[in-house]
């Protein structure tokens, strides 16, 4: 079963809707696809939407950190929304919790 990412652009904001599982099998595609989107568009903010995500491994943390470094180096930012308790624990252990803002919903993230 191929898990896919969907992308939504709102002006200079790129929202990345993540699949049920974010692991080493699909993180390569995520990195490649977002590299293209960021190169072709002026994006100042990325929001990762974890609403559907139930599992994430260290590959997911790596992608998030990579995007965080890339965006902050260019004056942008990365935020997260829809994170469940299980994934939040992984993000906290990985040190992501202190780097990126967490919002309950996509709508709240867009306002924030």
């Amino acid at each position: 079963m191929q898990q896919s990412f969907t992308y939504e652009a709102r002006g200079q904001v790129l929202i990345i809707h993540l699949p049920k599982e974010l692991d080493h099998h699909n993180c390569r595609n995520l990195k490649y696809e977002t590299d293209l989107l960021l190169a072709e568009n002026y994006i100042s903010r990325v929001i990762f939407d974890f609403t559907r995500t139930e599992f994430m491994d260290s590959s997911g943390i790596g992608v998030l950190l990579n995007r965080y470094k890339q965006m902050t180096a260019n004056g942008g930012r990365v935020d997260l929304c829809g994170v469940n308790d299980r994934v939040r624990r992984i993000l906290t252990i990985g040190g992501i919790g202190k780097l990126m803002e967490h919002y309950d919903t996509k709508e709240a993230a867009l306002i924030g």
Side-chain angles (χ1 to χ4, degrees):
M1 179 173 93
Q2 178 72 9
Q3 296 203 29
S4 63
F5 305 92
T6 57
Y7 303 91
E8 181 181 350
R10 299 263 183 110
Q12 296 176 341
V13 178
L14 175 65
I15 303 162
I16 302 170
H17 302 280
L18 301 172
K20 183 176 180 179
E21 295 183 4
L22 185 59
D23 58 22
H24 69 280
H25 295 293
N26 56 21
C27 279
R28 187 176 326 150
N29 289 341
L30 175 61
K31 183 179 180 333
Y32 175 75
E33 291 171 4
T34 55
D35 279 345
L36 289 176
L37 289 167
L38 293 173
E40 294 173 354
N41 302 284
Y42 179 73
I43 302 294
S44 62
R45 185 173 176 215
V46 174
I47 298 172
F48 285 96
D49 181 359
F50 281 87
T51 304
R52 297 181 298 171
T53 308
E54 297 175 9
F55 172 81
M56 183 177 76
D57 68 9
S58 61
S59 300
I61 291 173
V63 170
L64 292 174
L65 287 173
N66 179 283
R67 290 296 162 235
Y68 174 80
K69 289 177 185 176
Q70 180 183 18
M71 294 302 295
T72 57
N74 294 316
R77 66 188 245 204
V78 176
D79 296 318
L80 312 174
C81 70
V83 179
N84 67 32
D85 289 338
R86 183 179 196 181
V87 173
R88 186 180 308 273
R89 185 169 175 248
I90 295 166
L91 293 171
T92 300
I93 291 168
I96 302 290
K98 297 177 182 176
L99 298 176
M100 302 171 197
E101 290 290 328
H102 296 248
Y103 297 91
D104 291 335
T105 65
K106 175 179 77 171
E107 292 74 20
L110 287 166
I111 294 169

